Each structure stands twice: as C-alpha cells, then as structure tokens.
C-alpha cells in the first residue's frame, strides 16, 4: 500500500520529512502559549498543538479555555508561521474551530463518535484522528473511513497508546499499529508518545521506536513549567528538555534504522 501525502498549510505528512508537532496539552493563557510556540518552532517543530476544549476524565478538572484558546493558538501560529491543530469534541465546535485552526483533532475518547467523524468529513478540514485507547487497529481504520466516505481525504492517523494490564505507564504504545495502519489505508501515521507513556522519561525512547517503525511524525506536549501545568504536566517536556529532545530526534531522523520505503500515491 502506498502512502498518501497530506498537506496542512506548509506541512506535508507522509512526505520525506518527519513532522514534529509540539505545544502545550492545554492552552492556559497567551503568555505560556507564545513562549512555548517560540521555543518549539526554534527547535524545529513544524506545527503547533494546543488544547482548547479538553476531554478530562474528571468534570472537576480544568476543562480548557474553549474558543479563547483557539484565538491564542492562531495568534501563535501566525507569529511563528506554522499551522496549528486543536481538538474538537462535538460537531457544534467544528465551525468555530475551523475559523482558527488548520487541522482538527479527534481525540481518543471521541474516535467512536460517528456523528462527529461524519461532520468532520463533510467539513473538508484536515483531520488528525487519534486511536481510541480501547480500539483495535481495525476499528480505528473504520473510524477513518467515516471521514473518507464523506469525500475528505485529508486524514492523518495518530497512535497514542492503548489500555493494557500494565500500570507503570498510562497506556501501552502499540508500535505494531504504526506499520499496520500505514500499510492498510495508505494514510500517514504519527505517534504521540506523551499520552501513551504518561511520563516524560519515556518520550525519547518511544519516539525513537516510532521512527524505527516508520512513523511520519511525532506529537509532543511541552510546557514552560510542567509542574504547574493545568493538564498532563507529568508527561510534558519543559522548554529546556524539548531543546535536548529535538536535538536527539533531529539526529535520529537521519538514522539508517528509519524505514526508508516511501512510495507515494
Ligand atoms: C490530547 O492530545 O490532548 C489528548 C487529550 O489526547 P488523547 O485524546 O489521545 O487522550
Ligand atoms: Mn494532554
């Protein structure tokens, strides 16, 4: 199966470059978003991420700034000249989010929200479709088909770990899902090691494994002060840590162990 190139602004997924997406789990305020954006772009990130509406396990946890976060993210993207991605949790949020972001994210918890998938398909917006943490590869690919079926071919898949019996990590990164998904639907696949591990010490090794398995990109959570983050601080890199990470990943992108077959369709 040949892999399709998906363009999002200046970024191409499924091309010869590994796409590094980085940014905070949640956009908490303008200052932290701009500072994070500046650092990650200087370090080679080609796209910014930032949560607006957050799918939190507890209704008492920070729920995100909503549309205000989208405006801040857009400002950061414009300032540093990179496209931006943020999650929508319901069909009603698609319209407003599409005004501000270049790519819509469907989160793990909404991978089975078929109404949302269909509406995103109809919107024509590029989509980052995360794998549900209880979904098989086949269910994940069928979720992608809901979007494709509406004529929207701009779908990038994201493996972010699945729930297993292991308790030392938040989820288990399913590395075999990368080549399986990539070779089945011919869509680019990126990896989010942060939500898979739930701990920052595993971000680099899991990223290297992802590249070895042929991933087309990586999505990394970064926060200026992870200990004070309103969400996912324990799995976020500080700005300084991201600098070191990007140097190591930069070298690995050239590594001979990376799968080289890159036939397009
Ligand atoms: C996220 O990327 O911010 C997120 C909530 O991830 P997931 O849906 O994979 O849990
Ligand atoms: Mn997060």
């Amino acid at each position: 199966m040949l892999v399709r190139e998906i363009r999002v602004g200046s970024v191409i997924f499924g091309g010869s470059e590994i796409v590094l997406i980085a940014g905070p789990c949640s956009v908490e305020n303008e200052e932290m978003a701009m500072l994070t954006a500046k650092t990650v772009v200087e370090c080679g990130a080609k796209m910014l991420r930032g949560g607006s509406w957050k799918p939190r396990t507890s209704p008492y946890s920070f729920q995100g700034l909503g549309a205000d976060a989208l405006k801040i993210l857009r400002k950061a993207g414009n300032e540093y000249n990179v496209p931006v991605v943020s999650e929508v949790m319901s069909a009603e949020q698609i319209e407003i989010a599409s005004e501000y972001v270049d790519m819509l994210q469907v989160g793990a918890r909404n991978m089975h929200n078929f109404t949302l998938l269909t509406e995103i398909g109809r919107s024509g917006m590029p989509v980052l479709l995360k794998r549900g943490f209880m979904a098989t590869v086949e269910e994940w690919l069928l979720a992608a088909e809901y979007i494709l079926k509406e004529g929207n071919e701009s779908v990038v898949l994201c493996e972010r770990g699945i729930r297993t019996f292991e308790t030392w990590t938040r989820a288990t990164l399913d590395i075999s899902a990368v080549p399986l998904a990539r070779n089945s639907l011919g869509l680019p696949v990126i990896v989010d090691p942060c939500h898979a591990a739930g701990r920052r010490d595993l971000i680099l090794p899991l990223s290297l494994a992802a590249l070895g398995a042929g991933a087309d990109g990586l999505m990394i959570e970064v926060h200026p002060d992870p200990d004070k983050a309103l969400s996912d601080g324990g799995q976020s890199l500080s700005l300084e840590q991201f600098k070191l990470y990007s140097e190591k990943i930069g070298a690995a992108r050239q590594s001979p162990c990376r799968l080289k077959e890159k036939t397009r369709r």
Side-chain angles (χ1 to χ4, degrees):
M1 175 63 82
L2 310 177
V3 168
R4 191 181 294 170
E5 290 188 354
I6 308 291
R7 181 179 280 278
V8 182
S10 53
V11 166
I12 296 174
F13 290 89
S16 52
E17 299 244 324
I18 304 297
V19 179
L20 186 55
I21 306 175
C25 176
S26 303
V27 172
E28 299 174 5
N29 57 57
E30 184 169 328
E31 194 190 349
M32 66 81 76
M34 296 306 266
L35 179 58
T36 307
K38 178 177 190 295
T39 308
V40 300
V41 172
E42 276 173 4
C43 292
K46 296 290 186 238
M47 195 160 169
L48 286 179
R49 64 149 287 144
S52 312
W53 290 282
K54 294 303 301 178
R56 305 307 301 281
T57 302
S58 165
Y60 307 109
S61 301
F62 176 62
Q63 301 288 309
L65 299 181
D68 289 342
L70 296 175
K71 292 174 194 164
I72 294 171
L73 192 62
R74 179 74 270 155
K75 189 170 173 188
N78 289 350
E79 178 78 20
Y80 299 105
N81 207 19
V82 284
V84 301
V85 57
S86 194
E87 176 171 353
V88 284
M89 297 209 298
S90 70
E92 295 72 50
Q93 292 164 356
I94 295 173
E95 198 177 333
I96 172 97
S98 303
E99 281 178 38
Y100 295 102
V101 304
D102 304 285
M103 186 180 217
L104 300 174
Q105 179 173 316
V106 175
R109 291 157 192 78
N110 265 311
M111 190 214 83
H112 296 284
N113 184 340
F114 302 120
T115 309
L116 178 64
L117 298 173
T118 299
E119 289 302 324
I120 285 188
R122 290 183 183 157
S123 76
M125 284 287 289
V127 192
L128 183 62
L129 176 63
K130 296 189 103 179
R131 179 181 179 185
F133 46 73
M134 303 285 276
T136 63
V137 171
E138 187 166 347
E139 287 164 342
W140 181 29
L141 299 181
L142 286 169
E145 299 260 16
Y146 268 90
I147 301 168
L148 299 171
K149 182 170 171 281
E150 299 305 318
N152 184 351
E153 300 212 325
S154 298
V155 182
V156 176
L157 300 167
C158 179
E159 161 61 38
R160 49 78 71 212
I162 51 173
R163 193 169 269 184
T164 67
F165 51 78
E166 182 54 63
T167 55
W168 285 14
T169 51
R170 183 174 174 181
T172 298
L173 183 65
D174 182 5
I175 206 72
S176 53
V178 176
L180 279 176
R182 215 169 167 271
N183 295 337
S184 298
L185 269 191
L187 296 172
V189 178
I190 70 163
V191 166
D192 169 355
C194 301
H195 289 89
R199 40 191 284 179
R200 71 175 68 87
D201 60 325
L202 297 188
I203 295 175
L204 180 63
L206 294 187
S207 298
L208 296 173
L211 296 190
D216 297 285
L218 294 160
M219 183 157 79
I220 308 297
E221 290 189 327
V222 182
H223 192 286
D225 189 354
D227 291 342
K228 299 215 175 87
L230 298 181
S231 60
D232 289 350
Q235 63 189 43
S236 300
L237 296 180
S238 67
L239 303 179
E240 203 49 49
Q241 287 164 341
F242 186 77
K243 281 184 195 158
L244 296 172
Y245 169 86
S246 62
E247 282 165 20
K248 293 191 170 137
I249 276 300
R253 281 155 141 183
Q254 323 299 334
S255 153
C257 80
R258 176 160 162 72
L259 287 178
K260 284 281 191 298
E261 94 302 342
K262 279 286 187 182
T263 344
R264 311 270 151 248
R265 77 171 181 193

